[in-house]
Amino acid sequence: MKTDNKPWFWIPLLNFASGLPYAIIISVSVIMYKNLGISNEDIGVYTSLLYLPWVIKPLWSPLIELIGTKRKWFLLMQLIISIAFLLVGFTIPLNGFFIMTLSIFWVAAFASASNDIASDGFYLLVLPEDKQSFFIGIRSTFYRLSMLAGNGLVVLFAGYLEHKFGDNTKAWSYTMICVGLLMAFITVYNFIFTPKNEVNAVKNHKEIPNQSFGTIFVSFFKKKQIGLILTFILVFRLGESQLLKMLSPFLLDPKELGGMGLDTEAVGIIYGTCGVAALTIGGILGGIAISKQGLTKWMFPMFLAMHLPILGFILLAFFHPTSIYYIYAVVIVEQFGYGFGFTAFMMYLIHVAEGESKTAHYALSTGFMALGMMLPGMLSGYIQKFLGYQNFFIWVLIATIPGLILSRFLTFPKDFGKKSEEV
């Protein structure tokens, strides 16, 4: 089957293959280590350090830009990720599992960051520009769906095994082996269905004779408003970076410690059902809105939709409702808002990468984004312990304000992201 001009065949699973490893390494590892007896402080520090490959990926992004094809790169990286997750599963039952699994996660993180560079570049090169604003919502949605598959279905599966075996170690070992097999299946799918017309797509890139490792970096830092752009990228996710690290511990910790007292299976059900639906709808609507009216009209409303649902977690922390349906309601609103709002942020990063060397420049942008996630995340466990969950969520909401303010000073074409009338 020829799929070169049918992006629905390859965009969803290609982005699922970017999001799933990120979810397992950055988010699911938090729940896994929590249930295997690791403290909140250690979880915050060491799982945040796993962001580092995404932070420094711009250092080798020009190599992916200049050597080989993006398709060969992301297929190789996905294979390495599959093997790494299998090894984590076999390592969990061993003594000293914490250091060993962290080391394997590091290898997977480097491969995943490289996979992201190649996948993003492949998308920018192969898909016509007039279709990118619509499919950015689809990309964001399937990326987030993969994260919910991790935080939802994978966690639900692990919780089921915890109850079945009465042994968290065995449950998480089997879970990670299954994740490795799933990732292998996705790799095979992407090998079969991703377009093979990249050589034609990069024709204009090859016509640029003076590109080199150094000039690619220099050209990025010569962009208009680059100081403001980098500051915005670094601080925009300041609140979210801390929320993501402590949200699962909040839901899992007993009520006497300020948490919601849920078990692993309940957390998986919440994020794997209603959370998936809300995120899907939000992401698709976000992409449609930008493609119809442009990023200028929707950026600030989308950013508000992304951050204001933190109020729901503040209410949960203060009132600790006994009905789980209140938690469902908060998660539905938060996931819809995230799917809707994050579309605008990703569309803006595409604007930042416009011009020559899109792949490397997009990697530089997302590298700074990852740095903005890593550093606050490393401190999140200590901040939560010092403030308690109630004040911690208030602080997280306050931390979103600098990014909202800076977004008002960004400049880009008025109709950027708007789909052409003739297509």
Side-chain angles (χ1 to χ4, degrees), residues 8-78:
W8 280 105
F9 279 96
W10 59 271
I11 286 178
L13 264 292
L14 184 61
N15 287 278
F16 198 92
S18 289
L20 183 63
Y22 184 88
I24 300 300
I25 296 165
I26 299 299
S27 301
V28 177
S29 65
V30 172
I31 301 174
M32 183 184 82
Y33 288 133
K34 180 72 175 178
N35 288 347
L36 295 177
I38 308 300
S39 69
N40 280 8
E41 294 90 333
D42 285 344
I43 289 172
V45 171
Y46 292 108
T47 62
S48 292
L49 280 172
L50 291 171
Y51 278 117
L52 187 59
W54 282 275
V55 174
I56 64 175
K57 69 181 182 181
L59 295 178
W60 67 88
S61 62
L63 297 177
I64 297 176
E65 183 83 46
L66 299 170
I67 300 173
T69 67
K70 311 298 182 295
R71 186 173 183 273
K72 289 179 180 178
W73 273 98
F74 67 66
L75 290 173
L76 176 60
M77 294 303 106
Q78 289 170 22

Side-chain angles (χ1 to χ4, degrees), residues 334-371:
E334 185 264 337
Q335 289 296 304
F336 175 86
Y338 193 99
F340 188 66
F342 197 65
T343 303
F345 184 64
M346 298 305 292
M347 195 68 211
Y348 180 71
L349 293 188
I350 285 182
H351 163 69
V352 174
E354 284 289 291
E356 299 175 4
S357 308
K358 287 183 179 181
T359 301
H361 287 183
Y362 193 82
L364 280 161
S365 300
T366 55
F368 278 100
M369 178 185 70
L371 180 62

